Amino acid sequence: MEPNRNDNNNKKPEGGDQPKGRMATALIITLVIVLLFSWIFNSISQSQYTQTTYTEFREAMEAGQLAEVELKYDRILYMTKEEAAKPASMQKACYTGMPSGGDILALANELVDMGVEKVNYEIVEDNSMIMMILSYAVMIGGLFLVMNMITKRMGSADGMMGGFGKSKAKVYMEKSTGVTFKDVAGQDEAKESLQEIIDFLHNPQKYTAIGAKLPKGALLVGSPGTGKTLLAKAVAGEANVPFFSISGSDFVEMFVGMGASRVRDLFQQAAKVAPCIIFIDEIDAVGRSRDTRYGNNSEQEQTLNQLLNEIDGFEPSKGIVCLAATNRPEILDKALLRPGRFDRRIIVDRPNLQGRLDTLKVHTRKIKLSEDVDLRKIAQATAGAVGADLANLVNEAALRAVRQGRKAVNQEDLLVSFETVIAGTEKKNTVLTDMEKRLVAYHEVGHALVAALEKHSQPVSKITIVPHTSGALGYTMQMPEEEKFLSTADELRTELRTLVGGRAAEQVVFGIQTTGAANDIQRATSLARNMVTQYGMSDKFGLMSTATVEHQYLEGQAYMDCSQETAAEVDREVMIILDAAYAQAKQLLTENRALLDEISEYLLVKETITGDELMAYVNAARKPELEAPAEETE
Ligand code: ADP
Ligand code: ZN
């Protein structure tokens, strides 16, 4: 919809003046780009819309027919309720020009008052005027001087190029989000913390009457896709107040002062419709610490100051609540976190088993499921997945059902789409030689058999040698019986042996080593390293920690935090642990060689076998030795 948007956020801090020659070249290039964009914009963008007159737009608005409106500095895009009710592919939106001198904010307000559900508008800076003048190619010289002056006076933080055509920050205003806590699965603690805010928005007087100071803001902290935006929307929905949202990165602009004026506009706008929720996504983009450790510039600093001012400035009794989301709370400026600002921190965790099950339920509410669907099984298999992954999984499953011409989603759809998300779609046309296939089969059974024979392992649920697009030629899936938050040292050692079990089988049976074990080796190594450096599970270092974890809410990367000599010793210790695990796995497989052969041959024929089939073999082999029937591995 917006081909003229130019999103390069190059933020190199750089001082004042630039040589005249460079500026002139920059100006010419800018001109060409602007003209090109306006041409593209005219020929492509508008052809998708029906053109109407402004009067027609007003009429539709006054008749209450509008469903969605998007206001831009020069035009209005809108869709009537009649169109919005049609299926997405058949909808036709309209556009009309924005009358010159039209006040976007006033119009946005009017639309909200008229009850239009979705109003999006852009905060427009004055240089959009400049853009218009520019596109008519008048006053180039004058403009050049003005630009030059501005850049000089404001001590521009950036080169000239990023400035033109990139003057708009998107603000989404929704009168009612239509999202409630029912749509957010799990996250009970977060919901509880937010409940008070909702209560406050319903009835600010109740709090102010006692003299209680209410939180002005709360910080939602959690990994991407855990539902922070969803929660913020649900708060607005529960409190039945308008929802403003903007992304922190939209504040970061070329001209010093521009981000700050945007913040000001946003809060002014919000004050008009208060009580309401302001949601700032990725607040770390503006709110990163002002000390130079993480690098910043004066533009960001001004924007942050303005944000702090606004938050301090508004009367809590007005009922504006500012919610912000981040996955890097550690880089935020301390000033943002002070009492009276974003002093509440609400952790939005990755969902546990129950949370995942609930999320699956929420997302399958509107989907026809066949009788055989067991969502609990899917929830068990998806440990570590966030809400967004699960939403994606359900959608994939529904698409698969449609592709196969079925009326309802069945368990297989869900399982296959889970594998699509985890391992890429099944790649039917990868042709392996017979020898390769044997190797893969033995490798996978190696993993599975070690797991099956060990005491502390997670049960195997599936072994397959059907190649996947992710590059895996086969895999062994282990499924925990229940959610686990702690692992014992024994369990971790078992996991290590299981991980190297694949390579051990290759070695024991064929006496060769293949590249197929690369991923296993990587995972085993990092597990062994964590045991030494973080979990205090090595003989040599005991309880000494030698690594620090940063960015806990992102990947949780650990950095070595010790002297170089110690680091070298850690490496040696890791090697010892891995060697031991490998030797034990080899021994276990040698002792059970007959079983290994038997299962591998079976897998070669069937290509995919279940955990139950595997256990049937294992138990049958055990019976002669043990009197009592072996109990299912836990
Ligand atoms: P974040 O803002 O944390 O990155 P979002 O709120 O944008 O994540 O979540 C993306 C999508 O994932 C949501 O639109 C929703 O469909 C799904 N989702 C995430 N968490 C949940 C949850 N707890 N319950 C239901 N759906 C969820
Ligand atoms: Zn493997």
mmCIF file with all atom_site columns, all heavy atoms in Angstrom, residues 183-187 222-231 279 281 325 359 362-363 386-389 391, ligand 1:
data_model
loop_
_atom_site.group_PDB
_atom_site.id
_atom_site.type_symbol
_atom_site.label_atom_id
_atom_site.label_alt_id
_atom_site.label_comp_id
_atom_site.label_asym_id
_atom_site.label_entity_id
_atom_site.label_seq_id
_atom_site.pdbx_PDB_ins_code
_atom_site.Cartn_x
_atom_site.Cartn_y
_atom_site.Cartn_z
_atom_site.occupancy
_atom_site.B_iso_or_equiv
_atom_site.pdbx_formal_charge
_atom_site.auth_seq_id
_atom_site.auth_comp_id
_atom_site.auth_asym_id
_atom_site.auth_atom_id
_atom_site.pdbx_PDB_model_num
ATOM   1   N N   . ASP A 1 183 ? -9.104  -14.154 24.948 1.00 0.00 ? 183 ASP A N   1
ATOM   2   C CA  . ASP A 1 183 ? -8.315  -14.466 23.755 1.00 0.00 ? 183 ASP A CA  1
ATOM   3   C C   . ASP A 1 183 ? -6.857  -14.721 24.089 1.00 0.00 ? 183 ASP A C   1
ATOM   4   O O   . ASP A 1 183 ? -6.077  -15.140 23.236 1.00 0.00 ? 183 ASP A O   1
ATOM   5   C CB  . ASP A 1 183 ? -8.404  -13.311 22.763 1.00 0.00 ? 183 ASP A CB  1
ATOM   6   C CG  . ASP A 1 183 ? -9.828  -13.063 22.334 1.00 0.00 ? 183 ASP A CG  1
ATOM   7   O OD1 . ASP A 1 183 ? -10.428 -13.993 21.795 1.00 0.00 ? 183 ASP A OD1 1
ATOM   8   O OD2 . ASP A 1 183 ? -10.342 -11.952 22.569 1.00 0.00 ? 183 ASP A OD2 1
ATOM   9   N N   . VAL A 1 184 ? -6.466  -14.397 25.311 1.00 0.00 ? 184 VAL A N   1
ATOM   10  C CA  . VAL A 1 184 ? -5.089  -14.625 25.722 1.00 0.00 ? 184 VAL A CA  1
ATOM   11  C C   . VAL A 1 184 ? -5.054  -15.872 26.587 1.00 0.00 ? 184 VAL A C   1
ATOM   12  O O   . VAL A 1 184 ? -5.604  -15.890 27.680 1.00 0.00 ? 184 VAL A O   1
ATOM   13  C CB  . VAL A 1 184 ? -4.533  -13.433 26.526 1.00 0.00 ? 184 VAL A CB  1
ATOM   14  C CG1 . VAL A 1 184 ? -3.050  -13.605 26.754 1.00 0.00 ? 184 VAL A CG1 1
ATOM   15  C CG2 . VAL A 1 184 ? -4.818  -12.137 25.819 1.00 0.00 ? 184 VAL A CG2 1
ATOM   16  N N   . ALA A 1 185 ? -4.411  -16.890 26.083 1.00 0.00 ? 185 ALA A N   1
ATOM   17  C CA  . ALA A 1 185 ? -4.360  -18.140 26.838 1.00 0.00 ? 185 ALA A CA  1
ATOM   18  C C   . ALA A 1 185 ? -3.233  -18.073 27.856 1.00 0.00 ? 185 ALA A C   1
ATOM   19  O O   . ALA A 1 185 ? -2.205  -17.452 27.610 1.00 0.00 ? 185 ALA A O   1
ATOM   20  C CB  . ALA A 1 185 ? -4.132  -19.302 25.889 1.00 0.00 ? 185 ALA A CB  1
ATOM   21  N N   . GLY A 1 186 ? -3.442  -18.744 28.979 1.00 0.00 ? 186 GLY A N   1
ATOM   22  C CA  . GLY A 1 186 ? -2.390  -18.791 29.996 1.00 0.00 ? 186 GLY A CA  1
ATOM   23  C C   . GLY A 1 186 ? -2.075  -17.390 30.505 1.00 0.00 ? 186 GLY A C   1
ATOM   24  O O   . GLY A 1 186 ? -2.951  -16.542 30.596 1.00 0.00 ? 186 GLY A O   1
ATOM   25  N N   . GLN A 1 187 ? -0.798  -17.151 30.822 1.00 0.00 ? 187 GLN A N   1
ATOM   26  C CA  . GLN A 1 187 ? -0.331  -15.837 31.274 1.00 0.00 ? 187 GLN A CA  1
ATOM   27  C C   . GLN A 1 187 ? -1.158  -15.314 32.448 1.00 0.00 ? 187 GLN A C   1
ATOM   28  O O   . GLN A 1 187 ? -1.439  -14.115 32.534 1.00 0.00 ? 187 GLN A O   1
ATOM   29  C CB  . GLN A 1 187 ? -0.366  -14.815 30.130 1.00 0.00 ? 187 GLN A CB  1
ATOM   30  C CG  . GLN A 1 187 ? 0.311   -15.230 28.864 1.00 0.00 ? 187 GLN A CG  1
ATOM   31  C CD  . GLN A 1 187 ? 1.799   -15.461 29.037 1.00 0.00 ? 187 GLN A CD  1
ATOM   32  O OE1 . GLN A 1 187 ? 2.320   -15.322 30.149 1.00 0.00 ? 187 GLN A OE1 1
ATOM   33  N NE2 . GLN A 1 187 ? 2.502   -15.848 27.986 1.00 0.00 ? 187 GLN A NE2 1
ATOM   34  N N   . GLY A 1 222 ? 9.237   -10.011 27.738 1.00 0.00 ? 222 GLY A N   1
ATOM   35  C CA  . GLY A 1 222 ? 9.189   -11.412 27.335 1.00 0.00 ? 222 GLY A CA  1
ATOM   36  C C   . GLY A 1 222 ? 9.695   -11.613 25.929 1.00 0.00 ? 222 GLY A C   1
ATOM   37  O O   . GLY A 1 222 ? 9.867   -10.651 25.171 1.00 0.00 ? 222 GLY A O   1
ATOM   38  N N   . SER A 1 223 ? 9.935   -12.864 25.585 1.00 0.00 ? 223 SER A N   1
ATOM   39  C CA  . SER A 1 223 ? 10.464  -13.190 24.271 1.00 0.00 ? 223 SER A CA  1
ATOM   40  C C   . SER A 1 223 ? 9.473   -12.799 23.179 1.00 0.00 ? 223 SER A C   1
ATOM   41  O O   . SER A 1 223 ? 8.287   -12.681 23.440 1.00 0.00 ? 223 SER A O   1
ATOM   42  C CB  . SER A 1 223 ? 10.715  -14.692 24.167 1.00 0.00 ? 223 SER A CB  1
ATOM   43  O OG  . SER A 1 223 ? 11.443  -15.131 25.268 1.00 0.00 ? 223 SER A OG  1
ATOM   44  N N   . PRO A 1 224 ? 9.970   -12.611 21.964 1.00 0.00 ? 224 PRO A N   1
ATOM   45  C CA  . PRO A 1 224 ? 9.075   -12.283 20.857 1.00 0.00 ? 224 PRO A CA  1
ATOM   46  C C   . PRO A 1 224 ? 8.015   -13.367 20.667 1.00 0.00 ? 224 PRO A C   1
ATOM   47  O O   . PRO A 1 224 ? 8.309   -14.548 20.794 1.00 0.00 ? 224 PRO A O   1
ATOM   48  C CB  . PRO A 1 224 ? 10.007  -12.254 19.639 1.00 0.00 ? 224 PRO A CB  1
ATOM   49  C CG  . PRO A 1 224 ? 11.361  -12.026 20.195 1.00 0.00 ? 224 PRO A CG  1
ATOM   50  C CD  . PRO A 1 224 ? 11.378  -12.641 21.558 1.00 0.00 ? 224 PRO A CD  1
ATOM   51  N N   . GLY A 1 225 ? 6.800   -12.942 20.404 1.00 0.00 ? 225 GLY A N   1
ATOM   52  C CA  . GLY A 1 225 ? 5.737   -13.891 20.100 1.00 0.00 ? 225 GLY A CA  1
ATOM   53  C C   . GLY A 1 225 ? 5.036   -14.480 21.298 1.00 0.00 ? 225 GLY A C   1
ATOM   54  O O   . GLY A 1 225 ? 4.200   -15.351 21.165 1.00 0.00 ? 225 GLY A O   1
ATOM   55  N N   . THR A 1 226 ? 5.367   -14.001 22.504 1.00 0.00 ? 226 THR A N   1
ATOM   56  C CA  . THR A 1 226 ? 4.724   -14.559 23.688 1.00 0.00 ? 226 THR A CA  1
ATOM   57  C C   . THR A 1 226 ? 3.377   -13.909 23.974 1.00 0.00 ? 226 THR A C   1
ATOM   58  O O   . THR A 1 226 ? 2.691   -14.304 24.915 1.00 0.00 ? 226 THR A O   1
ATOM   59  C CB  . THR A 1 226 ? 5.612   -14.419 24.935 1.00 0.00 ? 226 THR A CB  1
ATOM   60  O OG1 . THR A 1 226 ? 6.149   -13.097 24.954 1.00 0.00 ? 226 THR A OG1 1
ATOM   61  C CG2 . THR A 1 226 ? 6.740   -15.418 24.930 1.00 0.00 ? 226 THR A CG2 1
ATOM   62  N N   . GLY A 1 227 ? 3.030   -12.875 23.203 1.00 0.00 ? 227 GLY A N   1
ATOM   63  C CA  . GLY A 1 227 ? 1.694   -12.302 23.363 1.00 0.00 ? 227 GLY A CA  1
ATOM   64  C C   . GLY A 1 227 ? 1.657   -10.977 24.102 1.00 0.00 ? 227 GLY A C   1
ATOM   65  O O   . GLY A 1 227 ? 0.656   -10.646 24.711 1.00 0.00 ? 227 GLY A O   1
ATOM   66  N N   . LYS A 1 228 ? 2.731   -10.196 24.039 1.00 0.00 ? 228 LYS A N   1
ATOM   67  C CA  . LYS A 1 228 ? 2.750   -8.912  24.740 1.00 0.00 ? 228 LYS A CA  1
ATOM   68  C C   . LYS A 1 228 ? 1.774   -7.928  24.105 1.00 0.00 ? 228 LYS A C   1
ATOM   69  O O   . LYS A 1 228 ? 0.998   -7.273  24.805 1.00 0.00 ? 228 LYS A O   1
ATOM   70  C CB  . LYS A 1 228 ? 4.174   -8.336  24.723 1.00 0.00 ? 228 LYS A CB  1
ATOM   71  C CG  . LYS A 1 228 ? 5.182   -9.232  25.426 1.00 0.00 ? 228 LYS A CG  1
ATOM   72  C CD  . LYS A 1 228 ? 6.564   -8.621  25.473 1.00 0.00 ? 228 LYS A CD  1
ATOM   73  C CE  . LYS A 1 228 ? 7.234   -8.571  24.116 1.00 0.00 ? 228 LYS A CE  1
ATOM   74  N NZ  . LYS A 1 228 ? 7.460   -9.898  23.512 1.00 0.00 ? 228 LYS A NZ  1
ATOM   75  N N   . THR A 1 229 ? 1.805   -7.844  22.780 1.00 0.00 ? 229 THR A N   1
ATOM   76  C CA  . THR A 1 229 ? 0.883   -6.951  22.086 1.00 0.00 ? 229 THR A CA  1
ATOM   77  C C   . THR A 1 229 ? -0.556  -7.386  22.348 1.00 0.00 ? 229 THR A C   1
ATOM   78  O O   . THR A 1 229 ? -1.434  -6.562  22.603 1.00 0.00 ? 229 THR A O   1
ATOM   79  C CB  . THR A 1 229 ? 1.166   -6.974  20.583 1.00 0.00 ? 229 THR A CB  1
ATOM   80  O OG1 . THR A 1 229 ? 2.563   -6.823  20.380 1.00 0.00 ? 229 THR A OG1 1
ATOM   81  C CG2 . THR A 1 229 ? 0.418   -5.877  19.867 1.00 0.00 ? 229 THR A CG2 1
ATOM   82  N N   . LEU A 1 230 ? -0.735  -8.691  22.294 1.00 0.00 ? 230 LEU A N   1
ATOM   83  C CA  . LEU A 1 230 ? -2.065  -9.246  22.516 1.00 0.00 ? 230 LEU A CA  1
ATOM   84  C C   . LEU A 1 230 ? -2.585  -8.873  23.907 1.00 0.00 ? 230 LEU A C   1
ATOM   85  O O   . LEU A 1 230 ? -3.740  -8.485  24.066 1.00 0.00 ? 230 LEU A O   1
ATOM   86  C CB  . LEU A 1 230 ? -1.981  -10.761 22.363 1.00 0.00 ? 230 LEU A CB  1
ATOM   87  C CG  . LEU A 1 230 ? -3.285  -11.512 22.194 1.00 0.00 ? 230 LEU A CG  1
ATOM   88  C CD1 . LEU A 1 230 ? -3.908  -11.176 20.861 1.00 0.00 ? 230 LEU A CD1 1
ATOM   89  C CD2 . LEU A 1 230 ? -3.047  -13.007 22.298 1.00 0.00 ? 230 LEU A CD2 1
ATOM   90  N N   . LEU A 1 231 ? -1.719  -8.976  24.909 1.00 0.00 ? 231 LEU A N   1
ATOM   91  C CA  . LEU A 1 231 ? -2.112  -8.637  26.272 1.00 0.00 ? 231 LEU A CA  1
ATOM   92  C C   . LEU A 1 231 ? -2.493  -7.166  26.387 1.00 0.00 ? 231 LEU A C   1
ATOM   93  O O   . LEU A 1 231 ? -3.490  -6.818  27.018 1.00 0.00 ? 231 LEU A O   1
ATOM   94  C CB  . LEU A 1 231 ? -0.976  -8.935  27.244 1.00 0.00 ? 231 LEU A CB  1
ATOM   95  C CG  . LEU A 1 231 ? -0.983  -10.310 27.894 1.00 0.00 ? 231 LEU A CG  1
ATOM   96  C CD1 . LEU A 1 231 ? 0.339   -10.557 28.604 1.00 0.00 ? 231 LEU A CD1 1
ATOM   97  C CD2 . LEU A 1 231 ? -2.114  -10.434 28.895 1.00 0.00 ? 231 LEU A CD2 1
ATOM   98  N N   . PHE A 1 279 ? 0.212   2.035   23.764 1.00 0.00 ? 279 PHE A N   1
ATOM   99  C CA  . PHE A 1 279 ? 1.114   0.882   23.750 1.00 0.00 ? 279 PHE A CA  1
ATOM   100 C C   . PHE A 1 279 ? 2.335   1.199   22.901 1.00 0.00 ? 279 PHE A C   1
ATOM   101 O O   . PHE A 1 279 ? 2.213   1.550   21.734 1.00 0.00 ? 279 PHE A O   1
ATOM   102 C CB  . PHE A 1 279 ? 0.393   -0.346  23.193 1.00 0.00 ? 279 PHE A CB  1
ATOM   103 C CG  . PHE A 1 279 ? 1.269   -1.559  23.070 1.00 0.00 ? 279 PHE A CG  1
ATOM   104 C CD1 . PHE A 1 279 ? 1.797   -2.165  24.196 1.00 0.00 ? 279 PHE A CD1 1
ATOM   105 C CD2 . PHE A 1 279 ? 1.580   -2.098  21.834 1.00 0.00 ? 279 PHE A CD2 1
ATOM   106 C CE1 . PHE A 1 279 ? 2.614   -3.287  24.099 1.00 0.00 ? 279 PHE A CE1 1
ATOM   107 C CE2 . PHE A 1 279 ? 2.392   -3.227  21.720 1.00 0.00 ? 279 PHE A CE2 1
ATOM   108 C CZ  . PHE A 1 279 ? 2.902   -3.815  22.859 1.00 0.00 ? 279 PHE A CZ  1
ATOM   109 N N   . ASP A 1 281 ? 5.495   -0.474  21.407 1.00 0.00 ? 281 ASP A N   1
ATOM   110 C CA  . ASP A 1 281 ? 6.201   -1.734  21.148 1.00 0.00 ? 281 ASP A CA  1
ATOM   111 C C   . ASP A 1 281 ? 7.688   -1.428  21.003 1.00 0.00 ? 281 ASP A C   1
ATOM   112 O O   . ASP A 1 281 ? 8.051   -0.316  20.631 1.00 0.00 ? 281 ASP A O   1
ATOM   113 C CB  . ASP A 1 281 ? 5.651   -2.352  19.856 1.00 0.00 ? 281 ASP A CB  1
ATOM   114 C CG  . ASP A 1 281 ? 5.809   -3.867  19.859 1.00 0.00 ? 281 ASP A CG  1
ATOM   115 O OD1 . ASP A 1 281 ? 6.421   -4.391  20.804 1.00 0.00 ? 281 ASP A OD1 1
ATOM   116 O OD2 . ASP A 1 281 ? 5.321   -4.513  18.923 1.00 0.00 ? 281 ASP A OD2 1
ATOM   117 N N   . ALA A 1 325 ? 6.453   -2.654  25.593 1.00 0.00 ? 325 ALA A N   1
ATOM   118 C CA  . ALA A 1 325 ? 6.937   -4.027  25.474 1.00 0.00 ? 325 ALA A CA  1
ATOM   119 C C   . ALA A 1 325 ? 8.405   -4.047  25.103 1.00 0.00 ? 325 ALA A C   1
ATOM   120 O O   . ALA A 1 325 ? 8.888   -3.181  24.369 1.00 0.00 ? 325 ALA A O   1
ATOM   121 C CB  . ALA A 1 325 ? 6.135   -4.771  24.409 1.00 0.00 ? 325 ALA A CB  1
ATOM   122 N N   . THR A 1 359 ? -3.521  -22.197 24.666 1.00 0.00 ? 359 THR A N   1
ATOM   123 C CA  . THR A 1 359 ? -3.307  -21.410 23.454 1.00 0.00 ? 359 THR A CA  1
ATOM   124 C C   . THR A 1 359 ? -3.842  -22.155 22.237 1.00 0.00 ? 359 THR A C   1
ATOM   125 O O   . THR A 1 359 ? -4.492  -21.578 21.370 1.00 0.00 ? 359 THR A O   1
ATOM   126 C CB  . THR A 1 359 ? -1.803  -21.128 23.262 1.00 0.00 ? 359 THR A CB  1
ATOM   127 O OG1 . THR A 1 359 ? -1.266  -20.646 24.489 1.00 0.00 ? 359 THR A OG1 1
ATOM   128 C CG2 . THR A 1 359 ? -1.583  -20.101 22.169 1.00 0.00 ? 359 THR A CG2 1
ATOM   129 N N   . VAL A 1 362 ? -7.539  -21.831 22.248 1.00 0.00 ? 362 VAL A N   1
ATOM   130 C CA  . VAL A 1 362 ? -7.994  -20.516 21.793 1.00 0.00 ? 362 VAL A CA  1
ATOM   131 C C   . VAL A 1 362 ? -7.949  -20.444 20.265 1.00 0.00 ? 362 VAL A C   1
ATOM   132 O O   . VAL A 1 362 ? -8.885  -19.993 19.622 1.00 0.00 ? 362 VAL A O   1
ATOM   133 C CB  . VAL A 1 362 ? -7.111  -19.403 22.391 1.00 0.00 ? 362 VAL A CB  1
ATOM   134 C CG1 . VAL A 1 362 ? -7.335  -18.089 21.663 1.00 0.00 ? 362 VAL A CG1 1
ATOM   135 C CG2 . VAL A 1 362 ? -7.411  -19.242 23.867 1.00 0.00 ? 362 VAL A CG2 1
ATOM   136 N N   . HIS A 1 363 ? -6.873  -20.942 19.706 1.00 0.00 ? 363 HIS A N   1
ATOM   137 C CA  . HIS A 1 363 ? -6.721  -20.776 18.261 1.00 0.00 ? 363 HIS A CA  1
ATOM   138 C C   . HIS A 1 363 ? -7.512  -21.792 17.449 1.00 0.00 ? 363 HIS A C   1
ATOM   139 O O   . HIS A 1 363 ? -7.687  -21.613 16.252 1.00 0.00 ? 363 HIS A O   1
ATOM   140 C CB  . HIS A 1 363 ? -5.246  -20.806 17.876 1.00 0.00 ? 363 HIS A CB  1
ATOM   141 C CG  . HIS A 1 363 ? -4.540  -19.548 18.257 1.00 0.00 ? 363 HIS A CG  1
ATOM   142 N ND1 . HIS A 1 363 ? -4.623  -18.402 17.525 1.00 0.00 ? 363 HIS A ND1 1
ATOM   143 C CD2 . HIS A 1 363 ? -3.790  -19.246 19.340 1.00 0.00 ? 363 HIS A CD2 1
ATOM   144 C CE1 . HIS A 1 363 ? -3.945  -17.448 18.114 1.00 0.00 ? 363 HIS A CE1 1
ATOM   145 N NE2 . HIS A 1 363 ? -3.426  -17.930 19.230 1.00 0.00 ? 363 HIS A NE2 1
ATOM   146 N N   . VAL A 1 386 ? 6.327   -20.584 21.500 1.00 0.00 ? 386 VAL A N   1
ATOM   147 C CA  . VAL A 1 386 ? 5.581   -19.446 22.039 1.00 0.00 ? 386 VAL A CA  1
ATOM   148 C C   . VAL A 1 386 ? 4.220   -19.381 21.349 1.00 0.00 ? 386 VAL A C   1
ATOM   149 O O   . VAL A 1 386 ? 3.965   -20.084 20.376 1.00 0.00 ? 386 VAL A O   1
ATOM   150 C CB  . VAL A 1 386 ? 6.336   -18.115 21.837 1.00 0.00 ? 386 VAL A CB  1
ATOM   151 C CG1 . VAL A 1 386 ? 7.590   -18.098 22.652 1.00 0.00 ? 386 VAL A CG1 1
ATOM   152 C CG2 . VAL A 1 386 ? 6.624   -17.869 20.375 1.00 0.00 ? 386 VAL A CG2 1
ATOM   153 N N   . GLY A 1 387 ? 3.366   -18.499 21.871 1.00 0.00 ? 387 GLY A N   1
ATOM   154 C CA  . GLY A 1 387 ? 2.010   -18.385 21.353 1.00 0.00 ? 387 GLY A CA  1
ATOM   155 C C   . GLY A 1 387 ? 1.965   -18.188 19.845 1.00 0.00 ? 387 GLY A C   1
ATOM   156 O O   . GLY A 1 387 ? 1.147   -18.800 19.159 1.00 0.00 ? 387 GLY A O   1
ATOM   157 N N   . ALA A 1 388 ? 2.851   -17.352 19.340 1.00 0.00 ? 388 ALA A N   1
ATOM   158 C CA  . ALA A 1 388 ? 2.835   -17.074 17.909 1.00 0.00 ? 388 ALA A CA  1
ATOM   159 C C   . ALA A 1 388 ? 3.126   -18.346 17.101 1.00 0.00 ? 388 ALA A C   1
ATOM   160 O O   . ALA A 1 388 ? 2.528   -18.571 16.048 1.00 0.00 ? 388 ALA A O   1
ATOM   161 C CB  . ALA A 1 388 ? 3.846   -15.989 17.578 1.00 0.00 ? 388 ALA A CB  1
ATOM   162 N N   . ASP A 1 389 ? 4.049   -19.187 17.592 1.00 0.00 ? 389 ASP A N   1
ATOM   163 C CA  . ASP A 1 389 ? 4.351   -20.456 16.904 1.00 0.00 ? 389 ASP A CA  1
ATOM   164 C C   . ASP A 1 389 ? 3.115   -21.334 16.845 1.00 0.00 ? 389 ASP A C   1
ATOM   165 O O   . ASP A 1 389 ? 2.825   -21.960 15.828 1.00 0.00 ? 389 ASP A O   1
ATOM   166 C CB  . ASP A 1 389 ? 5.436   -21.249 17.653 1.00 0.00 ? 389 ASP A CB  1
ATOM   167 C CG  . ASP A 1 389 ? 6.748   -20.498 17.697 1.00 0.00 ? 389 ASP A CG  1
ATOM   168 O OD1 . ASP A 1 389 ? 6.974   -19.664 16.801 1.00 0.00 ? 389 ASP A OD1 1
ATOM   169 O OD2 . ASP A 1 389 ? 7.533   -20.736 18.627 1.00 0.00 ? 389 ASP A OD2 1
ATOM   170 N N   . ALA A 1 391 ? -0.050  -20.450 17.115 1.00 0.00 ? 391 ALA A N   1
ATOM   171 C CA  . ALA A 1 391 ? -1.054  -19.882 16.219 1.00 0.00 ? 391 ALA A CA  1
ATOM   172 C C   . ALA A 1 391 ? -0.710  -20.266 14.787 1.00 0.00 ? 391 ALA A C   1
ATOM   173 O O   . ALA A 1 391 ? -1.566  -20.656 13.985 1.00 0.00 ? 391 ALA A O   1
ATOM   174 C CB  . ALA A 1 391 ? -1.101  -18.367 16.380 1.00 0.00 ? 391 ALA A CB  1
HETATM 175 P P1  . ADP B 2 .   ? 4.676   -10.162 21.025 1.00 0.00 ? 1   ADP B P1  1
HETATM 176 O O1  . ADP B 2 .   ? 4.056   -8.804  21.038 1.00 0.00 ? 1   ADP B O1  1
HETATM 177 O O2  . ADP B 2 .   ? 5.005   -10.669 22.401 1.00 0.00 ? 1   ADP B O2  1
HETATM 178 O O3  . ADP B 2 .   ? 5.817   -10.333 20.097 1.00 0.00 ? 1   ADP B O3  1
HETATM 179 P P2  . ADP B 2 .   ? 2.160   -10.854 19.899 1.00 0.00 ? 1   ADP B P2  1
HETATM 180 O O4  . ADP B 2 .   ? 1.247   -10.372 20.956 1.00 0.00 ? 1   ADP B O4  1
HETATM 181 O O5  . ADP B 2 .   ? 2.311   -9.988  18.705 1.00 0.00 ? 1   ADP B O5  1
HETATM 182 O O6  . ADP B 2 .   ? 3.572   -11.176 20.505 1.00 0.00 ? 1   ADP B O6  1
HETATM 183 O O7  . ADP B 2 .   ? 1.698   -12.316 19.486 1.00 0.00 ? 1   ADP B O7  1
HETATM 184 C C1  . ADP B 2 .   ? 1.617   -12.728 18.155 1.00 0.00 ? 1   ADP B C1  1
HETATM 185 C C2  . ADP B 2 .   ? 0.455   -13.676 17.966 1.00 0.00 ? 1   ADP B C2  1
HETATM 186 O O8  . ADP B 2 .   ? 0.673   -14.897 18.639 1.00 0.00 ? 1   ADP B O8  1
HETATM 187 C C3  . ADP B 2 .   ? -0.836  -13.153 18.520 1.00 0.00 ? 1   ADP B C3  1
HETATM 188 O O9  . ADP B 2 .   ? -1.515  -12.367 17.582 1.00 0.00 ? 1   ADP B O9  1
HETATM 189 C C4  . ADP B 2 .   ? -1.615  -14.415 18.847 1.00 0.00 ? 1   ADP B C4  1
HETATM 190 O O10 . ADP B 2 .   ? -2.272  -14.902 17.704 1.00 0.00 ? 1   ADP B O10 1
HETATM 191 C C5  . ADP B 2 .   ? -0.526  -15.387 19.206 1.00 0.00 ? 1   ADP B C5  1
HETATM 192 N N1  . ADP B 2 .   ? -0.368  -15.493 20.654 1.00 0.00 ? 1   ADP B N1  1
HETATM 193 C C6  . ADP B 2 .   ? 0.731   -15.159 21.365 1.00 0.00 ? 1   ADP B C6  1
HETATM 194 N N2  . ADP B 2 .   ? 0.558   -15.406 22.676 1.00 0.00 ? 1   ADP B N2  1
HETATM 195 C C7  . ADP B 2 .   ? -0.699  -15.873 22.815 1.00 0.00 ? 1   ADP B C7  1
HETATM 196 C C8  . ADP B 2 .   ? -1.480  -16.305 23.948 1.00 0.00 ? 1   ADP B C8  1
HETATM 197 N N3  . ADP B 2 .   ? -0.998  -16.294 25.204 1.00 0.00 ? 1   ADP B N3  1
HETATM 198 N N4  . ADP B 2 .   ? -2.733  -16.729 23.710 1.00 0.00 ? 1   ADP B N4  1
HETATM 199 C C9  . ADP B 2 .   ? -3.230  -16.753 22.475 1.00 0.00 ? 1   ADP B C9  1
HETATM 200 N N5  . ADP B 2 .   ? -2.556  -16.367 21.378 1.00 0.00 ? 1   ADP B N5  1
HETATM 201 C C10 . ADP B 2 .   ? -1.298  -15.932 21.524 1.00 0.00 ? 1   ADP B C10 1
#
